[in-house]
């Protein structure tokens, strides 16, 4: 059974002829499948800023959010460690100015603290169908290329094997004063990402990077879902 909330989001985007979901929409799909995401609120007007501050608190991260913009960092649409209302208002103005010509708003989200970054993804292989990816994440994902793949659907054993398969698997253990990752939750995230690919033939790609370990708990900080064009 497809998740109804996720189906509505995906169907709306497809009707609009879009090939991607916005970060906010992508995370709503993930949350519908029980995948932990950052606490966040989408603000489209300066009158909503105070409500966003009350919900998220400080410090926070603010990002330009539009289905039309994939690489926010390169466009200067991300402000991190925003610490008071004055900084929020300035960041809101700067981001909205940088987004001129694009539909969307500003995502106000909690700032997740953690030094360990992972990547979880999904690609739709012409031969094997939806395949789940797991590996080391962050800005060096493409350089390190420390990832592994499994065909969906995943069993718990498959997900656990993936975590041990990457070269940097020790990052998940208790290391340098950091607690061991919640591998049960990570495994469920991998299984559920695969399930999204099985439930929706129109989902071509999922890219969750980074997934930050906040203590033991993995949290999706950024998300991209690409649809069939």
């Amino acid at each position: 059974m497809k998740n109804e909330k996720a189906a509505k989001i995906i169907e709306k985007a497809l009707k609009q002829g879009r090939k991607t979901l916005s970060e906010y929409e992508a995370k709503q799909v993930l949350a519908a499948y029980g995948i932990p995401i950052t606490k966040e609120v989408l603000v489209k007007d300066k009158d909503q800023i105070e409500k966003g501050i009350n919900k998220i608190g400080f410090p926070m991260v603010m990002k330009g959010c539009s289905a039309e913009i994939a690489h926010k960092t390169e466009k200067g649409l991300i402000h991190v460690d925003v610490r008071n209302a004055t900084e929020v208002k300035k960041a809101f103005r700067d981001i909205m100015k940088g987004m001129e010509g694009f539909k969307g708003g500003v995502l106000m989200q909690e700032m997740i603290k953690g030094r360990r970054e992972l990547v979880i993804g999904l690609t739709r292989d012409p031969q094997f169908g939806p395949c789940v990816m797991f590996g080391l994440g962050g800005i060096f994902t493409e350089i390190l290329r420390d990832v592994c793949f499994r065909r969906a659907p995943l069993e718990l054993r498959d997900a656990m094997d993936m975590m041990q398969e990457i070269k940097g698997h020790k990052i998940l253990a208790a290391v340098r004063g950091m607690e061991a990752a919640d591998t049960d939750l990570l495994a469920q995230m991998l299984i559920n990402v695969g399930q999204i690919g099985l439930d929706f033939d129109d989902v071509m790609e999922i890219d969750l990077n980074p997934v930050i370990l906040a203590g033991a708990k993995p949290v999706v900080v950024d998300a991209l879902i690409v649809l069939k064009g």
Side-chain angles (χ1 to χ4, degrees):
M1 276 286 290
K2 283 183 185 178
N3 181 285
E4 279 185 33
K5 187 177 179 184
K8 279 182 186 173
I9 295 166
I10 291 167
E11 282 161 18
K12 181 184 172 187
L14 290 167
K15 277 180 188 169
Q16 292 172 349
R18 292 199 270 127
K19 289 186 181 179
T20 57
L21 298 182
S22 71
E23 178 182 343
Y24 182 74
E25 289 171 324
K27 285 186 178 161
Q28 293 303 301
V29 169
L30 299 174
Y33 277 80
I35 295 168
I37 60 166
T38 44
K39 185 168 69 175
E40 58 191 38
V41 61
L42 183 62
V43 175
K44 295 186 179 180
D45 187 277
K46 64 178 186 292
D47 295 338
Q48 301 171 312
I49 287 175
E50 197 166 330
K51 190 177 174 184
I53 290 171
N54 291 336
K55 182 174 179 183
I56 305 304
F58 297 112
M60 72 167 73
V61 176
M62 295 176 67
K63 302 177 182 176
C65 183
S66 168
E68 301 166 37
I69 303 171
H71 299 290
K72 295 180 281 286
T73 313
E74 291 158 28
K75 297 186 186 298
L77 298 179
I78 298 181
H79 291 240
V80 299
D81 203 17
V82 180
R83 290 189 167 265
N84 56 54
T86 305
E87 289 182 9
V88 167
K89 287 168 188 169
K90 183 181 184 305
F92 182 84
R93 284 196 305 271
D94 290 350
I95 291 168
M96 290 303 276
K97 189 177 176 184
M99 283 180 61
E100 271 180 24
F102 295 105
K103 286 181 188 171
V106 175
L107 206 51
M108 300 169 73
Q109 64 181 214
E110 64 177 321
M111 196 161 120
I112 300 291
K113 293 187 173 114
R115 288 180 283 164
R116 294 173 289 177
E117 298 188 347
L118 308 168
V119 61
I120 293 174
L122 180 126
T123 54
R124 192 170 291 279
D125 184 87
Q127 186 177 353
F128 298 112
C131 296
V132 179
M133 176 188 72
F134 174 75
L136 296 185
I139 58 171
F140 299 117
T141 302
E142 289 171 18
I143 296 168
L144 296 171
R145 294 189 179 280
D146 190 6
V147 295
C148 62
F149 293 85
R150 284 289 188 288
R151 184 180 175 181
L154 268 62
E155 300 286 341
L156 180 61
R157 184 184 69 249
D158 301 320
M160 290 295 187
D161 285 348
M162 288 176 80
M163 290 180 229
Q164 290 304 308
E165 200 169 301
I166 60 168
K167 291 191 284 291
H169 63 89
K170 287 183 180 173
I171 200 172
L172 300 175
V175 60
R176 295 189 177 181
M178 295 179 280
E179 56 191 306
D182 183 342
T183 50
D184 290 333
L185 180 53
L186 259 177
Q188 202 56 54
M189 289 167 74
L190 291 166
I191 291 165
N192 292 359
V193 163
Q195 192 59 48
I196 296 171
L198 291 168
D199 286 350
F200 297 99
D201 292 338
D202 290 304
V203 170
M204 303 308 289
E205 185 184 329
I206 299 174
D207 185 19
L208 313 182
N209 188 18
V211 176
I212 293 180
L213 289 176
K217 184 185 178 183
V219 181
V220 176
V221 173
D222 203 351
L224 174 69
I225 294 181
V226 178
L227 306 174
K228 192 182 284 180

